[in-house]
Amino acid sequence: MSGGGNIKVVVRCRPLNSREIARGAKSLIRMEGNRTILDPPEVQTTSARAIEKKSQVFSFDKSYWSASSKDDPRYASQQTLFDDLGVELLNHSFEGFNTCIFAYGQTGSGKSYSMMGYGRDKGIIPLSTSELFRRVEQQASNDPNLTYTVEVSYIEIYNEKVRDLLNPKNKGNLKVREHPSLGPYVEDLSKLVVENDAQMMTLMDEGNKAGGCRPPWLT
């Protein structure tokens, strides 16, 4: 990228769900290292001869297997994702770089699970938030002259409209602007100060109730 930026792309494939298993579905995807391989099924012709299609191979920075059992050595846990992605994200943030992580995929592919998690299986956002405040507390205790301020915003981008989920009264479409030195920003977006991860997650819950049903951005 221009401007010295860097992008990493990873793939995480969820296991088959109960509905798919009941239909007799078979997985057509497998991972080998950082490669994601699609093995197409055989296609029967009118003469009952099977046409064999070649597998398609795609390389990414990481490819996480879809094993559903934690006893499977290929299983990629929530903690694994955080260790591989969240830790590096925080490292660069504390070094003064702008960082961003987002999930992309079709409905039901596991975006919300990877980003937020369910129950005890916390996703990247809550794990990163907890580690963020742990680092802030540690560094502030090591240097009494050092202070941190953590601000939170929560937006929804849908049908090319930007909504502020932490300010439900602002129902209009917010404008995205370009600052000459700071880069893109959302005009009139709420920024709320938080002091710990509990406050952060409370705001996330409030944003979800306001309509944030889609995987959130983490910046």
Side-chain angles (χ1 to χ4, degrees):
M1 289 182 61
S2 61
N6 185 41
I7 293 178
K8 281 191 174 183
V9 181
V10 306
V11 173
R12 189 186 198 189
C13 180
R14 68 162 175 80
L16 297 176
N17 58 37
S18 57
R19 177 174 55 85
E20 293 163 339
I21 294 175
R23 291 169 51 190
K26 295 182 179 180
S27 177
L28 302 177
I29 190 170
R30 55 191 169 93
M31 272 68 171
E32 293 181 359
N34 65 340
R35 298 193 306 164
T36 297
I37 304 172
L38 302 181
D39 295 320
E42 292 183 344
V43 178
Q44 297 293 332
T45 66
T46 54
S47 60
R49 291 180 58 190
I51 298 178
E52 205 175 301
K53 291 187 176 182
K54 293 183 178 180
S55 298
Q56 294 179 300
V57 181
F58 305 90
S59 295
F60 301 94
D61 291 286
K62 290 280 186 178
S63 290
Y64 297 103
W65 182 245
S66 60
S68 58
S69 173
K70 295 183 179 181
D71 296 327
D72 192 320
R74 300 169 299 181
Y75 174 77
S77 67
Q78 299 281 68
Q79 187 64 44
T80 298
L81 256 70
F82 171 70
D83 292 340
D84 290 348
L85 306 175
V87 171
E88 184 177 16
L89 186 84
L90 288 173
N91 289 342
H92 293 320
S93 296
F94 275 85
E95 291 169 355
F97 295 97
N98 290 326
T99 59
C100 176
I101 182 173
F102 69 94
Y104 175 82
Q106 69 185 64
T107 300
S109 59
K111 301 183 299 294
S112 296
Y113 176 74
S114 294
M115 295 295 281
M116 290 300 297
Y118 301 117
R120 295 184 178 181
D121 288 335
K122 296 181 179 180
I124 291 179
I125 288 180
L127 290 175
S128 297
T129 300
S130 179
E131 174 63 13
L132 166 66
F133 284 103
R134 188 197 69 79
R135 294 190 186 191
V136 166
E137 183 178 354
Q138 181 183 47
Q139 295 193 19
S141 62
N142 293 337
D143 186 352
N145 296 319
L146 184 63
T147 59
Y148 285 90
T149 299
V150 180
E151 297 179 336
V152 177
S153 298
Y154 193 178
I155 65 175
E156 176 187 68
I157 305 175
Y158 187 63
N159 285 341
E160 299 183 0
K161 293 184 178 180
V162 181
R163 293 179 55 210
D164 185 349
L165 297 181
L166 297 184
N167 183 13
K169 294 181 180 179
N170 190 349
K171 298 183 182 298
N173 181 24
L174 302 183
K175 302 298 182 182
V176 179
R177 306 294 189 188
E178 180 80 19
H179 191 278
S181 58
L182 300 178
Y185 71 97
V186 179
E187 190 175 44
D188 298 326
L189 179 64
S190 300
K191 293 183 179 180
L192 305 182
V193 176
V194 290
E195 298 179 350
N196 51 59
D197 58 336
Q199 293 180 3
M200 171 81 149
M201 299 315 299
T202 297
L203 291 179
M204 290 290 296
D205 290 339
E206 293 180 3
N208 291 336
K209 294 176 182 177
C213 59
R214 297 164 192 83
W217 294 76
L218 173 60
T219 57

